[in-house]
Amino acid sequence: MSAMEVIFVAKADCQNCERVRQALARVHHEYRHVEVREVDPDEPEGHSLATKHGIIMLPALIVNERLRLVGEISEKEIRHEIEKAGRNSRH
């Protein structure tokens, strides 16, 4: 995997998901090298990822194929996970 990938597992009708979606958009503006995509757990790809990672609460963030954050997620936590994943990928 060359670029860092963040997968946001969320539903459209989830209020907490919308708050995290907005925080993720602000963070992504600062980290343009990060590929961010959103999947719905009711769709096949999202369901497969939720099952694979044992996601039982939304929203969830998967960073470089590892479940990192679930539930109440702050902008600070998103930045921290992206920074941490960036450091780990250089080793």
Side-chain angles (χ1 to χ4, degrees):
M1 181 181 308
S2 57
M4 184 182 307
E5 180 182 47
V6 174
I7 302 173
F8 180 53
V9 184
K11 294 180 69 116
D13 61 350
C14 163
Q15 288 183 357
N16 190 38
C17 297
E18 183 56 33
R19 284 190 293 275
V20 176
R21 185 179 289 112
Q22 291 173 9
L24 183 58
R26 288 188 298 271
V27 171
H28 188 225
H29 185 72
E30 299 170 29
Y31 297 91
R32 291 291 190 187
H33 66 284
V34 177
E35 178 186 332
V36 176
R37 62 191 179 95
E38 182 173 335
V39 297
D40 184 318
D42 291 335
E43 298 296 323
E45 180 187 17
H47 180 76
S48 175
L49 285 168
T51 301
K52 175 182 175 182
H53 293 284
I55 296 169
I56 58 172
M57 183 190 306
L58 295 177
L61 279 183
I62 300 168
V63 180
N64 287 347
E65 300 181 9
R66 294 186 66 190
L67 179 62
R68 295 294 185 177
L69 299 167
V70 177
E72 295 285 335
I73 302 169
S74 72
E75 200 169 314
K76 181 178 179 181
E77 290 173 312
I78 296 169
R79 279 191 183 88
H80 175 77
E81 289 301 330
I82 288 173
E83 290 289 333
K84 186 167 68 173
R87 286 191 303 270
N88 291 343
S89 70
R90 286 177 262 190
H91 296 296

